[in-house]
Amino acid sequence: MVTIYDIAEKAQVSAMTVSRVINNTGRISEKTRTKVRRVMEELGYVPNQLARSLVLQQTNLLFLMITDITNPFYTTLARGAEDAAKKHGYRLLFGNTDENLDKEQDYIDAILKTRADGVLLAPAGDASLPHLETLRKHGVPFVLLDREVPGVESDVVLGDSKEGARQLVKHLVAGGHREIAMINGSRSISSARDRLAGYLEALKLNDLSFAEERVLEMSFGPRSDLSEIDAWLDWMHPLPTAIVAGNNVLAVEAIRSLQARGLRVPEDVSLVCFDELASYAEIDPFLTVISQQAYQFGYLGMQMLLDRIQTREEPGPWRKVVLPAELIVRRSVRALNR
Amino acid sequence: MVTIYDIAEKAQVSAMTVSRVINNTGRISEKTRTKVRRVMEELGYVPNQLARSLVLQQTNLLFLMITDITNPFYTTLARGAEDAAKKHGYRLLFGNTDENLDKEQDYIDAILKTRADGVLLAPAGDASLPHLETLRKHGVPFVLLDREVPGVESDVVLGDSKEGARQLVKHLVAGGHREIAMINGSRSISSARDRLAGYLEALKLNDLSFAEERVLEMSFGPRSDLSEIDAWLDWMHPLPTAIVAGNNVLAVEAIRSLQARGLRVPEDVSLVCFDELASYAEIDPFLTVISQQAYQFGYLGMQMLLDRIQTREEPGPWRKVVLPAELIVRRSVRALNR
DNA sequence: CTGTTAGCGCGTTCAT
DNA sequence: ATGAACGCGCTAACAG
């Protein structure tokens, strides 16, 4: 491996001079600068980031933890985060937790060991609390995405989940629906909780009664196993005329389960959900959704993280950004005759 | 920051003993071992991976470079790579090049600086040659995914693109189609080249003439700009009865462009392509496709990379794995009356 | 403008 | 079974 000492020797200068040329620090005569540059070129020198980071106590490395790498919401978010990080000269490490606390724990350990300069993460859920406390304790700045964690003060970028759910229900009610069910992520995830709250509130607002059995809570993540939804649909009597899905993945699963029993959307059951379905939406925009600004989640979150890192000495107050939710009406809701 | 020296002091031993406890090397009395462990716990010690890597000359870090993070083919591939890496205790860094050579160059630089132990990559194209030569020159093992690069000898995991294209055309011909067009990735990408070759070969095999204008070459990546496809569709007279799309993204773009001019698939134009469309395929399996084992691309590729790293001293011959392509017939091809 | 010294946190080697 | 000295590659601080 070529080191600055190899360069120094061949260029007849000290290692320090080489270091200065590399980092453009201090004053160097144009002559030695070009000489050093030429030798570096000749030897194919590449700075050792490990050594730099060790002495500088800064790695220039950021970490993005998401809960589902196959979900277009998160890949779009990742693009935003990546763009913002690159813009400021930071490298970005991705991790995928599948909403699994053990995987999250593994990544937290890796982050600590790697000495990443900061973390951007969608926490697995409220139970991520100890993980965040670990980060805080070790002085690693972090910004939460899409989900808050009770007991943790931090910067956070959220979507307006409650309002989104309200709009979804309102839209269904306007279509004449009164028996509205919800399939949602776990209550231990703040966004799922907010969506449930918005749903309940909107029911009340419209004088609709709430039935416990009408709400199914499961994981936001992708599974191939539809049995939970199947059992739920079997159990409900009568079937609701409409379903609100807590996210895009659940919407797809719901449609599959409905299809399996010969029910079509929207002819037999109407369906609305949070987040777009990527390519599906482009070919055949079909689902009525609450569209969230996925790219902005990542971009703004990253900016807040970088800001936090740069103002480490004089930290400002925690910031909470709530991105608006937009209802996009398409064809997955049938207007009932009244 | 807590170091082994802090531990050593508090536990009344030498730093070396602490190091031995951490790495389970050498012989340590059970008593001091537990004492050291307890102090580590108390102080919340986390090993500094930077320092370890610097002295060990090994980072335990691998890098995966893909060309489109929003393409389900690549995210599924990423899952496979991640699983295989984690299984062997390696951390995995992701990078997204958008088939852009400059971005690829940036990542190559980052990899060299970071001293990653190996790289798994879908190269942007034939022009990635110098990048790969750089990796080779610096002794960084790499495995190519989905695409070969002429002039580079290496391990590689490919799909059977030529055979896939043949099957696609054959299927169309069986449906009575004789005017078959192709929208494909750039000829500077080996998989696109192979798909084109398979297409041409199948035409010949079926006594169909080839018309230059029937092939459109563009980027495999996602764009919002449909003008290229629009111009192509405008130009062709008559319109083909069927189109082969070189990948899933192009298929979606083609459908959008067709829809924009009031043409429906498959009523007006039939369409087939490479790779699945993620959630779309689950709700409403519509497109007839060549399905590739995306997960296996990543999983096998990673295994080959790890194997290469571990047998560094006595390298075996380059291995080329070709994963079979499977035709999945659905509803996007209309059978023509003859 | 350039060089010397010291140290970032850890593991290898050789003692003890 | 444990410790001291040294070096991994680099840069901050100081000296000249």
Side-chain angles (χ1 to χ4, degrees):
Chain A
M1 172 184 293
V2 185
T3 73
I4 51 172
Y5 289 98
D6 300 326
I7 314 278
E9 192 176 346
K10 193 156 181 187
Q12 320 244 47
V13 294
S14 76
M16 205 47 230
T17 302
V18 178
S19 174
R20 290 197 178 97
V21 170
I22 294 171
N23 298 296
N24 271 315
T25 61
R27 265 174 280 288
I28 305 275
S29 78
E30 200 49 51
K31 199 172 123 199
T32 63
R33 184 193 306 280
T34 47
K35 183 164 65 177
V36 169
R37 286 247 169 83
R38 229 202 36 234
V39 175
M40 277 173 35
E41 197 77 24
E42 276 176 35
L43 266 45
Y45 170 75
V46 177
N48 188 323
Q49 184 68 41
L50 261 46
R52 293 194 84 221
S53 297
L54 187 58
V55 50
L56 292 178
Q57 299 285 43
Q58 170 184 333
T59 55
N60 239 38
L61 219 179
L62 267 20
F63 202 99
L64 170 63
M65 248 161 79
I66 55 184
T67 59
D68 181 4
I69 198 184
T70 58
N71 185 329
F73 173 75
Y74 285 113
T75 55
T76 307
L77 179 156
R79 264 229 155 80
E82 187 185 15
D83 288 351
K86 170 159 284 179
K87 203 166 174 176
H88 293 262
Y90 278 81
R91 295 167 299 140
L92 185 60
L93 204 59
F94 295 79
N96 174 233
T97 65
D98 284 325
E99 272 182 13
N100 177 324
L101 284 168
D102 291 335
K103 284 199 190 177
E104 190 172 272
Q105 173 76 62
D106 285 350
Y107 278 120
I108 295 283
D109 287 348
I111 287 165
L112 259 28
K113 283 192 217 162
T114 317
R115 301 299 193 261
D117 291 340
V119 184
L120 205 54
L121 79 163
D126 294 353
S128 296
L129 177 60
H131 298 163
L132 301 181
E133 284 173 337
T134 302
L135 289 178
R136 178 73 23 100
K137 178 174 138 205
H138 288 274
V140 182
F142 61 88
V143 173
L144 260 29
L145 298 179
D146 190 50
R147 302 157 177 205
E148 292 182 287
V149 172
V152 175
E153 304 251 308
S154 75
D155 293 318
V156 55
V157 182
L158 297 174
D160 197 346
S161 289
K162 201 166 173 185
E163 173 59 18
R166 270 194 227 110
Q167 286 190 39
L168 251 17
V169 172
K170 184 175 159 197
H171 175 67
L172 291 171
V173 170
H177 293 271
R178 304 189 56 79
E179 283 150 12
I180 302 170
M182 178 169 203
I183 175 172
N184 199 13
S186 162
R187 206 174 294 213
S188 65
I189 296 172
S190 77
S191 54
R193 216 160 32 232
D194 291 345
R195 288 165 197 185
L196 178 62
Y199 162 82
L200 294 176
E201 201 174 282
L203 287 189
K204 194 165 291 180
L205 217 62
N206 289 282
D207 289 324
L208 299 179
S209 65
F210 163 64
E212 188 77 49
E213 62 171 29
R214 288 246 177 84
V215 174
L216 172 64
E217 280 179 31
M218 48 192 299
S219 160
F220 267 144
R223 296 150 310 287
S224 47
D225 179 20
L226 295 177
S227 59
E228 277 186 89
I229 303 181
D230 285 341
W232 181 57
L233 291 176
D234 281 339
W235 174 259
M236 275 190 291
H237 291 293
L239 271 182
T241 62
I243 298 176
V244 175
N247 79 347
N248 47 6
V249 174
L250 291 175
V252 171
E253 309 265 318
I255 294 181
R256 289 176 59 200
S257 181
L258 288 168
Q259 281 179 345
R261 58 190 63 214
L263 297 174
R264 307 189 55 195
V265 177
E267 290 82 353
D268 303 304
V269 179
S270 294
L271 182 77
V272 296
C273 72
F274 278 82
D275 300 331
E276 297 280 11
L277 295 199
S279 26
Y280 180 71
E282 293 172 13
I283 300 183
D284 180 16
F286 162 73
L287 271 177
T288 289
V289 303
I290 285 292
S291 173
Q292 297 199 100
Q293 304 173 28
Y295 185 90
Q296 289 302 323
F297 272 74
Y299 197 89
L300 289 178
M302 182 56 80
Q303 285 193 322
M304 286 165 70
L305 179 59
L306 291 170
D307 188 59
R308 191 56 76 181
I309 291 171
Q310 276 147 21
T311 62
R312 215 163 189 159
E313 306 308 320
E314 21 174 330
W318 300 121
R319 283 173 300 173
K320 175 170 170 173
V321 172
V322 177
L323 263 19
E326 186 193 5
L327 178 71
I328 299 185
V329 176
R330 298 206 268 248
R331 302 183 281 107
S332 63
V333 175
R334 176 176 156 226
L336 298 183
N337 306 324
R338 286 183 265 192
Chain B
M1 174 183 293
V2 184
T3 74
I4 52 171
Y5 290 98
D6 301 326
I7 313 279
E9 193 176 342
K10 191 156 182 186
Q12 321 244 44
V13 295
S14 78
M16 207 41 239
T17 302
V18 177
S19 174
R20 289 198 178 96
V21 170
I22 294 170
N23 299 296
N24 272 316
T25 61
R27 263 173 282 289
I28 306 275
S29 78
E30 200 48 51
K31 199 172 126 201
T32 64
R33 185 192 305 279
T34 45
K35 183 164 63 174
V36 169
R37 286 248 169 83
R38 230 204 33 235
V39 175
M40 277 172 38
E41 196 77 24
E42 278 176 35
L43 267 45
Y45 171 74
V46 177
N48 187 324
Q49 185 67 41
L50 263 44
R52 295 193 84 222
S53 297
L54 187 59
V55 50
L56 291 177
Q57 299 285 45
Q58 171 185 332
T59 56
N60 237 40
L61 219 179
L62 267 20
F63 202 98
L64 170 63
M65 247 161 78
I66 56 184
T67 60
D68 182 4
I69 198 185
T70 58
N71 186 329
F73 173 75
Y74 285 113
T75 54
T76 308
L77 179 155
R79 263 229 153 78
E82 188 185 13
D83 288 351
K86 171 159 281 181
K87 202 166 174 176
H88 294 261
Y90 277 82
R91 293 168 300 140
L92 185 60
L93 204 58
F94 296 78
N96 172 234
T97 66
D98 282 325
E99 270 181 16
N100 177 324
L101 284 168
D102 291 334
K103 283 197 190 179
E104 190 172 271
Q105 173 78 61
D106 285 350
Y107 278 119
I108 296 283
D109 287 348
I111 288 164
L112 259 29
K113 282 192 218 162
T114 317
R115 301 297 192 264
D117 291 341
V119 184
L120 205 55
L121 80 163
D126 294 352
S128 297
L129 178 60
H131 298 162
L132 301 181
E133 284 173 337
T134 302
L135 288 178
R136 179 75 21 101
K137 178 174 138 206
H138 288 274
V140 182
F142 62 87
V143 173
L144 260 28
L145 298 179
D146 190 50
R147 303 158 177 204
E148 292 182 287
V149 172
V152 175
E153 304 248 307
S154 74
D155 294 319
V156 55
V157 181
L158 298 173
D160 198 347
S161 288
K162 201 166 173 184
E163 173 59 18
R166 272 196 226 106
Q167 286 190 39
L168 252 16
V169 171
K170 186 175 158 198
H171 175 68
L172 291 170
V173 170
H177 292 271
R178 303 189 58 78
E179 282 150 11
I180 301 171
M182 178 169 201
I183 175 171
N184 199 12
S186 163
R187 207 173 294 212
S188 66
I189 296 172
S190 77
S191 54
R193 217 159 34 232
D194 292 345
R195 288 165 198 185
L196 177 63
Y199 162 83
L200 294 176
E201 202 175 279
L203 287 188
K204 194 166 289 179
L205 216 64
N206 289 282
D207 289 325
L208 298 179
S209 65
F210 164 65
E212 187 77 49
E213 63 171 28
R214 288 246 176 85
V215 173
L216 173 64
E217 280 178 31
M218 50 192 299
S219 160
F220 267 144
R223 294 151 311 287
S224 48
D225 180 19
L226 295 177
S227 59
E228 276 186 90
I229 303 181
D230 285 339
W232 180 57
L233 291 176
D234 281 338
W235 175 259
M236 276 190 291
H237 292 292
L239 271 182
T241 62
I243 299 176
V244 175
N247 79 348
N248 47 5
V249 174
L250 291 174
V252 171
E253 309 265 318
I255 294 180
R256 288 177 61 199
S257 181
L258 287 169
Q259 281 180 346
R261 57 190 65 215
L263 296 174
R264 306 189 55 194
V265 177
E267 289 81 353
D268 304 303
V269 179
S270 294
L271 183 78
V272 296
C273 72
F274 278 80
D275 300 332
E276 297 280 12
L277 295 199
S279 28
Y280 182 71
E282 294 172 12
I283 300 183
D284 180 17
F286 162 74
L287 273 176
T288 290
V289 303
I290 286 290
S291 174
Q292 298 199 99
Q293 304 171 28
Y295 186 90
Q296 289 301 323
F297 272 74
Y299 198 88
L300 289 178
M302 183 54 80
Q303 285 193 322
M304 287 165 71
L305 178 60
L306 291 169
D307 188 59
R308 191 55 76 181
I309 290 170
Q310 277 148 21
T311 63
R312 215 164 190 159
E313 307 308 320
E314 21 172 331
W318 299 122
R319 283 173 299 174
K320 175 170 168 172
V321 172
V322 177
L323 262 19
E326 184 193 5
L327 178 71
I328 299 185
V329 176
R330 299 208 267 248
R331 303 184 279 106
S332 65
V333 174
R334 175 176 155 225
L336 298 183
N337 306 323
R338 288 182 262 192

